[in-house]
Amino acid sequence: MLTVNNTKAWLERFADKIKTNKAYLSELDSVIGDGDHGNNMARGVKAMKEKLAEGDYVEPEEVLKDASMALLSKIGGASGPLYGSAFLGMSKQADQDSADIHAIVKAGLDGITKRGKAEVGEKTMVDVWSPIVEHLEKGTVTIEAVQDSVEATKDLKASKGRASYLGERSLGELDPGAVSSGYLFEAMIEGEIIDE
Amino acid sequence: MLTVNNTKAWLERFADKIKTNKAYLSELDSVIGDGDHGNNMARGVKAMKEKLAEGDYVEPEEVLKDASMALLSKIGGASGPLYGSAFLGMSKQADQDSADIHAIVKAGLDGITKRGKAEVGEKTMVDVWSPIVEHLEKGTVTIEAVQDSVEATKDLKASKGRASYLGERSLGELDPGAVSSGYLFEAMIEGEIIDE
Amino acid sequence: MKKIINQPDQVVDQMLKGFVYANGERVKRVPNTTVIVQKHKEKNKVALVSGGGSGHEPAHTGFVGKGMLTAAVAGEVFTSPSPDQVLEGIKAADNGAGVLLIIKNYTGDVMNFEMAKELAEAEGIVVEQLIVDDDIAVEDSTHTAGKRGVAGTVIVHKILGAAADLGMSLTDIKALGDRLVKQMKSIGVAMTAATVPEVGKPGFSLADDEMEYGVGIHSEPGYHRTKVKSSASIAEELVSKLKQAFDFQNGETYGLLVNGLGATPLMEQYIFLHDVEKQLANEDVDVAFKKVGALMTSLDMNGVSLTLVKLEQDWLKLWQHPVDVTDW
Amino acid sequence: MKKIINQPDQVVDQMLKGFVYANGERVKRVPNTTVIVQKHKEKNKVALVSGGGSGHEPAHTGFVGKGMLTAAVAGEVFTSPSPDQVLEGIKAADNGAGVLLIIKNYTGDVMNFEMAKELAEAEGIVVEQLIVDDDIAVEDSTHTAGKRGVAGTVIVHKILGAAADLGMSLTDIKALGDRLVKQMKSIGVAMTAATVPEVGKPGFSLADDEMEYGVGIHSEPGYHRTKVKSSASIAEELVSKLKQAFDFQNGETYGLLVNGLGATPLMEQYIFLHDVEKQLANEDVDVAFKKVGALMTSLDMNGVSLTLVKLEQDWLKLWQHPVDVTDW
Ligand SMILES: Nc1ncnc2c1ncn2[C@@H]1O[C@H](COP(=O)(O)OP(=O)(O)O)[C@@H](O)[C@H]1O
Ligand SMILES: Nc1ncnc2c1ncn2[C@@H]1O[C@H](COP(=O)(O)OP(=O)(O)O)[C@@H](O)[C@H]1O
Ligand SMILES: [Mg+2]
Ligand SMILES: [Mg+2]
Ligand SMILES: [Mg+2]
Ligand SMILES: [Mg+2]
């Protein structure tokens, strides 16, 4: 179940992974997008970390809400509203029930698809969020499962976002937003938020 | 002495030399100037050749006058007015006495210095015209003498024209206008205009 | 990367500071935002707000002023500004007669501006949005994010800006904008890619003798890579694509924009225009205006784009309506 | 060489054709010449004629129109036009109140324009000339052709153009111009050299991490080659050179121009301006106007120049006087 502490720890871990892989994410985005995903995410998580450090939280949904606002206002580009909407959705669901991680992540996914209108298979972050939601439901979520779903975006042809302009040429490449979402779920697993 | 025929032959030979060495002249100018002397001269002598081909001349000064106008209106840059003034000066003097080649070339030099205000030693075409005038006076003009005076511009530091911005750095390089003037005098010698 | 900059992550802020220093009589910056807004706004006129990622200068800040935009919102380089920035732009621009958002059709821009619209509406401001998607290099299919918004956006600023200045209502301006966008098409060619300061290398690479047709203004891929062609054959290719897309009919009247992409000398833009003129001479259509210049750039990209807009009756008057902006 | 052109020796003619196609309501080309002249001239106003080698666009054709130049004469790329072309420009421009030639200080330009002046005077036209030599990168000694004329020329066009439009006499305009030129200084920096189409390679070469201070607008050599510096340190160097040359005094008022050399994104010009602002903040001088843009370019050269002009009482009014030209 989500607590203020494990939520903060989760998001800090996420932030660190993004920071470490900033150049790699931009590199990926320069192949099938416009090369800024790492910079965008790094800017966002930096603001998020600063905001969370200041906050004096009683409930985990407050942490998620602040994270949402920081990401929304600092990432920019396509991923800003998407991460912002995901975290806002998660915050609202955590307010209902902070124990049901599956429901919380599913609310995050709903936030993304409502905003971005992408379906599974369009080579976006949805292609990581959606299998992870299923794994959470079945209790089968692992680091490997996360990495597999990230890796699987290579086989998809993009039809949403900037990569869609490439059509066939997007095949064989990782989706940058899928990779950054992968970090979010790796951090979640490493943070031992999910109850056995 | 100048005749219509040997004057035309002289200038056509000059035009051919310029055309052949167009790239070389621009190359020289790109080292200490702005890289256009070959293009400028080639444009000028092309127009000159066309004009002379049309003309129906009785006197050599008419040939020189038309050459002057063509060069003046087609070369542009610094060398346009200078060659234009040189040929106008030569035309006027040929009108006085078409037999005195020394006086004719000297009038050309006067046209150049009146317009451009350069003195001997400033690394310009004057540094070819001036020694050639002296050689003509003494009857010692040869291809070698022309080439020596061209070559000698290497040792001069530019203080007129675009090369002057280089100061010391102009040392060791040929002056492009000196080289093109050298072709004029080589063509004159080869055309056997100068009476023994 | 050779750029006259300081820290790569400070370029937008420092650019905006320079812009306000230069044009402080006409515009001001909303404190703590990346919003540039008209200094002397006129009550009860519809406000136009545009913007997007930076790197397209003079778009969009250079078009803020009477007769064009009321405010421009600058994102990071090639990155849409966030909803809160756009919201600040909307609030700063609103004159009480509603706000029209002019958005280039990119996923990020559309989402961020839409969220801002929702936030502004929640605060009681009437907001409409217009999405510009003039780039015909990309097919408009369900398999892509749709056609991109490129140089034609500037024509939208000009024509709708005049309409707003003349006191037209938000509903009417929005309707005019919808018609305008439908009748406007662009296509470009790149000789080199742009280098985003924070990235430090060009968005793609082209050999010394290569160019690419259809490249987008953020170095998005085009439709055909080829050896460098003459201006005449580039004009032939681009005009033929536009001709096909418009299906030219005798007697139609068009407006034309040759847009330099940032590092293209004006000399080349005019040479290219001359070749476009020759191509259009074969068609039985009229060209009522021709605008030339670097208006929607892509940082230091070398290339041009060509935009045509099929004009309705009154649009030429709107086009010619006077403006007081920095870069028209 | 990547250029959107056709035959390299046709660039000037084709550019002028494109220019007239785009701006045919404001200007026309004198047939069989490279002269662009105002279409609607006003009788009994002094005419201003400028020009020089091409490759500096929008200078000078882009400044032809009410309030600036009456005519511009275009030479081959980086090559002064010949006297007969300039003469055509003078004749086309003359409104019966005399003609002022505005000449950038290069041997070729000075000689060709002077010869044209003599020819025009022989035809009974009253002609004065003004030589602009604002580039302080080159010493003004008897050992050089003197200081070069660079971006400040555009300020001369603007201020004298206003004076002419307001009906000032030729003698007064010439006197005003003499004072203006004395109080105006420029200095630039290049990251890359320009490539003349007919030459096909850059005028000089700089390593990928090098730049050069003081380069001229035809790639004439500068005074110091160095590793690429930040915008802030370039501003520090250029402002300190100008400060020294002007010997700033408390309370003086200046005008300022940041000029892009052709391939420099506007973003960088504004960042640079912001750094200039910071440098000038240390000085007790006023800056009454700041203009930014690619106004006196050097084909595809990447770089900027900075011009300051010490203003007399009425000059700001002349600066702000409205114009109707293509590229102001
Ligand atoms: N419609 C969409 N739905 C879900 N995710 C999307 C959508 N469009 C883009 N994305 C995600 O956004 C990522 C790109 O983000 P980023 O590079 O930061 O923004 P931009 O594309 O504006 O430069 C893509 O890799 C993809 O995962
Ligand atoms: N004041 C002068 N007097 C005599 N010759 C000069 C003078 N200035 C320049 N020149 C000559 O002109 C040549 C350059 O001509 P060109 O390259 O055609 O013109 P520009 O310098 O305008 O590009 C120089 O090499 C030099 O010989
Ligand atoms: Mg991206
Ligand atoms: Mg030269
Ligand atoms: Mg982006
Ligand atoms: Mg020259």
Side-chain angles (χ1 to χ4, degrees):
Chain A
M1 82 169 256
L2 285 189
T3 64
V4 167
N5 279 344
N6 73 10
T7 306
K8 281 179 75 171
W10 167 31
L11 299 186
E12 273 155 24
R13 203 182 283 262
F14 170 52
D16 293 344
K17 284 179 193 280
I18 293 288
K19 205 179 146 192
T20 311
N21 293 287
K22 171 177 159 177
Y24 172 61
L25 288 170
S26 283
E27 185 63 42
L28 290 176
D29 193 35
S30 78
V31 180
I32 62 166
D34 59 352
D36 60 0
H37 189 60
N39 295 322
N40 295 347
M41 292 303 296
R43 204 168 42 237
V45 296
K46 180 164 177 274
M48 176 184 80
K49 248 182 115 164
E50 284 164 11
K51 193 149 185 181
L52 299 191
E54 284 167 16
D56 199 5
Y57 301 107
V58 180
E59 302 289 345
E61 60 267 27
E62 298 164 7
V63 179
L64 291 166
K65 176 93 191 287
D66 269 9
S68 162
M69 290 302 131
L71 296 176
L72 185 63
S73 75
K74 283 296 171 190
I75 296 179
S79 43
L82 295 171
Y83 275 103
S85 302
F87 276 72
L88 196 64
M90 294 198 289
S91 168
K92 285 187 185 154
Q93 179 60 30
D95 188 26
Q96 303 291 314
D97 178 359
S98 63
D100 188 349
I101 306 289
H102 164 255
I104 291 171
V105 175
K106 181 161 189 317
L109 171 59
D110 290 346
I112 293 173
T113 52
K114 213 178 134 203
R115 180 58 57 193
K117 313 270 180 322
E119 293 169 19
V120 169
E122 299 202 275
K123 196 177 187 116
T124 69
M125 56 177 74
V126 168
D127 293 303
V128 169
W129 283 76
S130 176
I132 295 307
V133 168
E134 286 173 29
H135 279 296
L136 283 168
E137 187 162 28
K138 296 188 270 175
T140 55
V141 71
T142 58
I143 298 274
E144 288 68 44
V146 173
Q147 289 176 349
D148 286 351
S149 65
V150 170
E151 198 63 23
T153 62
K154 274 195 182 167
D155 303 330
L156 302 173
K157 198 176 87 178
S159 53
K160 277 279 177 328
R162 231 175 260 281
S164 67
Y165 306 129
L166 276 167
E168 301 285 335
R169 285 176 284 170
S170 68
L171 281 168
E173 309 293 344
L174 287 170
D175 175 62
V179 175
S180 62
S181 294
Y183 296 146
L184 179 69
F185 295 118
E186 287 181 19
M188 188 176 76
I189 295 165
E190 288 159 9
E192 296 181 354
I193 286 162
I194 312 159
D195 310 292
E196 306 297 300
Chain B
M1 82 168 256
L2 287 189
T3 64
V4 166
N5 279 344
N6 73 9
T7 305
K8 281 178 77 171
W10 167 30
L11 298 186
E12 272 155 25
R13 202 182 284 259
F14 170 51
D16 293 343
K17 284 179 192 282
I18 293 288
K19 202 177 150 194
T20 311
N21 294 287
K22 171 178 159 178
Y24 172 62
L25 289 170
S26 283
E27 186 63 41
L28 289 176
D29 193 36
S30 78
V31 180
I32 61 166
D34 59 352
D36 60 359
H37 188 60
N39 296 323
N40 295 347
M41 292 302 298
R43 206 168 41 237
V45 297
K46 179 163 177 274
M48 176 184 79
K49 248 183 114 161
E50 283 164 12
K51 192 144 182 185
L52 299 193
E54 286 168 16
D56 200 4
Y57 301 106
V58 180
E59 301 290 342
E61 58 266 27
E62 296 164 6
V63 179
L64 291 167
K65 176 93 188 290
D66 269 9
S68 163
M69 290 302 131
L71 297 176
L72 185 64
S73 75
K74 284 295 171 192
I75 297 180
S79 42
L82 294 171
Y83 275 104
S85 302
F87 277 72
L88 196 64
M90 293 198 289
S91 169
K92 284 187 186 156
Q93 179 59 33
D95 188 26
Q96 302 293 312
D97 178 359
S98 63
D100 188 347
I101 306 290
H102 164 253
I104 290 170
V105 175
K106 180 158 190 319
L109 171 60
D110 289 347
I112 294 173
T113 53
K114 213 179 134 203
R115 180 57 57 193
K117 311 268 181 318
E119 290 168 21
V120 168
E122 299 201 273
K123 196 178 188 115
T124 69
M125 57 177 72
V126 168
D127 293 305
V128 168
W129 284 76
S130 176
I132 296 307
V133 168
E134 285 174 31
H135 279 295
L136 283 168
E137 188 164 25
K138 293 189 271 176
T140 55
V141 72
T142 59
I143 297 274
E144 290 66 43
V146 172
Q147 290 176 348
D148 286 351
S149 65
V150 169
E151 198 63 22
T153 62
K154 276 197 183 166
D155 303 330
L156 301 174
K157 198 177 87 180
S159 53
K160 276 283 176 327
R162 231 175 259 280
S164 68
Y165 307 128
L166 277 166
E168 301 285 333
R169 283 177 283 170
S170 67
L171 282 168
E173 309 294 345
L174 287 170
D175 175 62
V179 175
S180 62
S181 294
Y183 296 147
L184 179 69
F185 295 118
E186 288 180 19
M188 188 176 76
I189 294 166
E190 288 160 11
E192 295 178 355
I193 287 163
I194 311 160
D195 310 291
E196 305 296 305
Chain C
M1 175 180 63
K2 279 189 175 180
K3 288 190 186 291
I4 300 173
I5 59 172
N6 300 298
Q7 307 84 334
D9 63 347
Q10 297 296 308
V11 293
V12 174
D13 181 57
Q14 294 180 352
M15 165 182 79
L16 293 176
K17 283 182 175 142
F19 187 79
V20 171
Y21 177 59
N23 304 299
E25 276 138 48
R26 183 181 292 117
V27 302
K28 62 186 180 197
R29 181 170 177 181
V30 179
N32 301 314
T33 73
T34 56
V35 174
I36 298 292
V37 62
Q38 276 187 33
K39 207 161 185 174
H40 314 287
K41 299 191 301 161
E42 286 167 278
K43 278 218 162 13
N44 295 321
K45 284 189 177 174
V46 171
L48 303 192
V49 175
S50 192
S54 292
H56 305 303
E57 293 68 31
H60 298 273
T61 49
F63 305 129
V64 174
K66 189 170 162 60
M68 285 183 84
L69 300 180
T70 320
V73 189
E76 293 296 321
V77 177
F78 290 2
T79 302
S80 167
S82 57
D84 51 336
Q85 294 294 313
V86 180
L87 176 62
E88 292 295 333
I90 295 172
K91 291 202 282 192
D94 185 31
N95 295 317
V99 176
L100 179 72
L101 300 179
I102 301 172
I103 310 168
K104 298 198 289 304
N105 189 33
Y106 298 95
T107 307
D109 291 71
V110 172
M111 291 194 296
N112 284 290
F113 276 75
E114 264 175 8
M115 288 183 85
K117 176 170 184 278
E118 292 162 17
L119 296 169
E121 284 167 346
E123 295 193 22
I125 305 177
V126 183
V127 184
E128 289 282 0
Q129 67 177 39
L130 177 68
I131 295 180
V132 183
D133 62 346
D134 52 321
D135 189 353
I136 60 165
V138 172
E139 272 176 89
D140 188 15
S141 78
T142 49
H143 306 300
T144 68
K147 290 186 292 149
R148 302 178 293 230
V150 290
T153 311
V154 172
I155 295 178
V156 176
H157 295 350
K158 179 67 191 77
I159 289 182
L160 299 194
D165 196 37
L166 292 169
M168 210 184 263
S169 75
L170 180 58
T171 322
D172 290 349
I173 294 175
K174 158 78 174 149
L176 169 61
D178 284 333
R179 292 206 309 282
L180 177 57
V181 168
K182 268 198 209 88
Q183 300 185 190
M184 185 173 68
K185 300 176 201 301
S186 300
I187 187 155
V189 61
M191 314 295 269
T192 65
T195 297
V196 174
E198 285 198 84
V199 176
K201 57 180 194 334
F204 57 89
S205 62
L206 280 167
D208 273 355
D209 60 349
E210 278 182 342
M211 54 172 242
E212 187 167 321
Y213 284 111
V215 170
I217 56 171
H218 313 93
S219 299
E220 294 94 345
Y223 63 86
H224 182 51
R225 194 168 281 201
T226 167
K227 296 280 165 203
V228 170
K229 296 262 188 274
S230 68
S231 170
S233 52
I234 295 172
E236 192 184 334
E237 165 73 15
L238 300 191
V239 171
S240 86
K241 281 267 188 273
L242 289 168
K243 174 181 172 173
Q244 196 182 326
F246 274 111
D247 186 16
F248 287 163
Q249 301 295 322
N250 288 359
E252 286 173 344
T253 300
Y254 286 83
L256 179 162
L257 167 65
V258 168
N259 176 58
L261 286 168
T264 314
L266 207 44
M267 171 183 273
E268 297 175 34
Q269 298 175 44
Y270 279 116
I271 290 172
F272 174 70
L273 172 63
H274 173 57
D275 288 311
V276 169
E277 176 190 6
K278 288 204 255 179
Q279 290 294 322
L280 290 174
N282 306 328
E283 309 299 330
D284 203 3
V285 297
D286 229 54
V287 183
F289 67 76
K290 310 104 186 177
K291 178 89 178 166
V292 179
L295 298 178
M296 177 66 77
T297 63
S298 178
L299 293 170
D300 53 351
M301 181 180 283
N302 184 351
V304 290
S305 67
L306 176 63
T307 303
L308 286 179
V309 51
K310 184 155 68 184
L311 299 179
E312 292 186 9
Q313 197 69 46
D314 320 321
W315 294 2
L316 186 61
K317 265 234 284 292
L318 296 172
W319 176 262
Q320 290 165 338
H321 188 76
V323 294
D324 176 27
V325 302
T326 309
D327 288 297
W328 191 244
Chain D
M1 175 180 64
K2 279 189 176 181
K3 288 190 187 287
I4 301 173
I5 59 171
N6 300 298
Q7 307 83 332
D9 63 347
Q10 296 296 309
V11 292
V12 174
D13 181 58
Q14 294 180 353
M15 165 182 79
L16 293 176
K17 284 181 174 142
F19 186 80
V20 171
Y21 177 59
N23 305 299
E25 275 138 48
R26 184 182 293 117
V27 302
K28 62 185 183 200
R29 181 171 177 179
V30 179
N32 300 315
T33 74
T34 56
V35 174
I36 297 292
V37 63
Q38 277 188 33
K39 206 160 183 174
H40 314 287
K41 299 191 302 163
E42 287 167 279
K43 277 222 162 13
N44 296 320
K45 284 189 178 174
V46 171
L48 303 192
V49 175
S50 193
S54 293
H56 305 303
E57 294 67 31
H60 300 269
T61 48
F63 305 129
V64 173
K66 190 170 161 58
M68 285 184 84
L69 300 180
T70 320
V73 189
E76 293 295 322
V77 177
F78 291 1
T79 302
S80 168
S82 56
D84 52 336
Q85 294 294 312
V86 180
L87 176 62
E88 293 295 334
I90 296 171
K91 291 202 280 192
D94 185 30
N95 296 316
V99 176
L100 179 70
L101 301 179
I102 301 172
I103 310 167
K104 299 199 289 304
N105 189 33
Y106 298 94
T107 307
D109 291 71
V110 172
M111 290 192 299
N112 284 290
F113 277 75
E114 265 175 7
M115 288 183 85
K117 177 171 182 279
E118 293 162 16
L119 295 169
E121 285 168 345
E123 296 193 21
I125 304 176
V126 183
V127 185
E128 287 283 358
Q129 68 177 42
L130 177 67
I131 295 179
V132 184
D133 61 345
D134 52 321
D135 189 353
I136 62 166
V138 171
E139 272 176 86
D140 188 15
S141 78
T142 49
H143 306 301
T144 68
K147 291 187 290 147
R148 303 178 293 230
V150 290
T153 311
V154 172
I155 296 179
V156 176
H157 294 350
K158 179 66 191 74
I159 290 183
L160 298 194
D165 196 36
L166 292 168
M168 209 184 263
S169 74
L170 180 58
T171 321
D172 290 350
I173 294 175
K174 158 76 175 152
L176 169 61
D178 283 334
R179 293 205 308 282
L180 177 58
V181 169
K182 271 202 206 85
Q183 300 184 188
M184 185 173 68
K185 298 173 202 304
S186 300
I187 187 156
V189 61
M191 314 296 268
T192 64
T195 297
V196 175
E198 285 198 83
V199 176
K201 56 180 197 330
F204 58 90
S205 63
L206 280 167
D208 273 354
D209 60 349
E210 278 183 340
M211 52 172 244
E212 186 166 323
Y213 284 112
V215 170
I217 55 172
H218 313 93
S219 299
E220 294 94 345
Y223 63 86
H224 182 49
R225 194 170 279 204
T226 168
K227 296 279 163 202
V228 169
K229 296 264 186 270
S230 69
S231 170
S233 52
I234 295 172
E236 194 184 331
E237 166 73 14
L238 300 192
V239 171
S240 85
K241 280 268 188 271
L242 288 167
K243 175 183 170 172
Q244 198 183 323
F246 274 112
D247 187 15
F248 286 163
Q249 301 296 320
N250 289 358
E252 287 173 344
T253 301
Y254 286 83
L256 180 162
L257 166 66
V258 168
N259 176 58
L261 286 169
T264 313
L266 206 44
M267 170 183 274
E268 297 175 35
Q269 298 175 42
Y270 278 116
I271 291 172
F272 174 70
L273 172 63
H274 173 57
D275 288 311
V276 169
E277 176 189 8
K278 287 205 256 180
Q279 289 296 322
L280 290 174
N282 306 327
E283 309 299 330
D284 202 5
V285 297
D286 231 53
V287 182
F289 70 76
K290 308 106 187 175
K291 178 89 180 169
V292 179
L295 299 178
M296 176 67 76
T297 64
S298 177
L299 293 169
D300 53 353
M301 180 179 284
N302 185 351
V304 290
S305 67
L306 176 62
T307 302
L308 286 179
V309 51
K310 184 155 68 183
L311 298 179
E312 291 186 10
Q313 198 69 44
D314 321 319
W315 294 2
L316 185 61
K317 266 230 293 284
L318 296 172
W319 176 261
Q320 291 164 338
H321 188 77
V323 294
D324 176 28
V325 302
T326 310
D327 289 296
W328 190 242

